[in-house]
Amino acid sequence: MKSFQLNEKTKSFLAEYQLFEDDLIQQVQLQHRLELVAAFGIQKGMRVLEIGCGQGDTTVAIADAAGESGSVVAIDIASPDYGAPLTLGQATERIKKSSLGERIDFHFEMDFDFFETPIPFDVAVLSHCSWYFKELEDLLKYFKKLVDWQNIYVLQIGTSISPAFLSVPTFVQFPFWHCILTP
């Protein structure tokens, strides 16, 4: 593996929260997630819905950005037993034991189609999860629900795909892309 230099933000995160201390791969991924969340503009005190949270890699970066006065509701359709080398349950249990844990509410085996809450969110984030959608229509249905339900709209999509991608009627897997939705 090539030598990788962690930036000061990542080093500070690792020191403060004591997560991923002995896992260089996780640290590299964390640095990427911290940069994504910084680009999303999540502010202290925000209430954030993360759809497709997986093992919580982006979730911890969001919780850090939202600060002690903010919160993250993180949902994923998968079972807590899903995933490797750590399952979603194992990974998120480690996160819940950290000082970030009190800012995060994980919900597994939760399809966003059936997720309801009376409390509004400031933003919704989908990151590193689009390939789990079998059809473009399924992803667009999530977007529509966010607009109708929370008055959240697409603010930023960072991707290397062309606009022609959006006209493809069906496909098995989406390319990597990230999205943040905000009112």
Side-chain angles (χ1 to χ4, degrees):
M1 178 177 195
K2 289 183 177 180
S3 174
F4 186 84
Q5 193 67 28
L6 296 175
N7 63 29
E8 288 306 313
K9 171 71 175 161
T10 305
K11 289 177 186 177
S12 174
F13 180 100
L14 293 168
E16 183 173 353
Y17 301 116
Q18 306 294 304
L19 289 168
F20 321 125
E21 295 167 296
D22 300 322
D23 189 339
L24 179 61
I25 292 172
Q26 195 67 38
Q27 292 173 13
V28 171
Q29 291 178 0
L30 171 66
Q31 184 159 297
H32 168 68
R33 280 6 186 252
L34 290 169
E35 290 169 356
L36 275 178
V37 170
F40 291 160
I42 294 172
Q43 302 295 312
K44 302 281 186 217
M46 283 187 160
R47 181 168 159 78
V48 181
L49 172 63
E50 182 187 15
I51 300 170
C53 66
Q55 294 164 316
D57 295 345
T58 303
T59 314
V60 295
I62 295 169
D64 177 60
E68 292 180 18
S69 61
S71 64
V72 182
V73 174
I75 66 172
D76 200 290
I77 201 165
S79 159
D81 297 330
Y82 176 80
L86 294 176
T87 66
L88 276 64
Q90 292 168 324
T92 57
E93 213 30 62
R94 180 173 62 180
I95 292 166
K96 292 297 284 180
K97 290 177 183 174
S98 78
S99 59
L100 286 173
E102 63 193 31
R103 303 177 200 174
I104 304 168
D105 186 13
F106 287 102
H107 298 267
F108 295 113
E109 298 179 279
M110 174 57 65
D111 187 335
F112 180 62
D113 281 340
F114 304 105
F115 180 76
E116 296 293 333
T117 181
I119 302 168
F121 294 98
D122 297 302
V123 296
V125 174
L126 293 91
S127 175
H128 291 277
C129 65
S130 61
W131 57 85
Y132 289 105
F133 290 90
K134 293 180 182 161
E135 301 287 336
L136 175 62
E137 290 78 20
D138 295 333
L139 180 60
L140 295 176
K141 183 169 62 171
Y142 276 32
F143 289 168
K144 181 174 180 353
K145 179 178 177 179
L146 286 166
V147 169
D148 293 346
W149 175 55
Q150 293 276 325
N151 196 29
I152 294 175
Y153 62 93
V154 176
L155 170 70
Q156 173 182 359
I157 299 178
T159 178
S160 59
I161 60 175
S162 71
F165 163 80
L166 296 175
S167 67
V168 177
T170 60
F171 45 94
V172 176
Q173 229 176 40
F174 295 122
F176 241 132
W177 60 313
H178 314 282
C179 176
I180 184 168
L181 305 153
T182 184

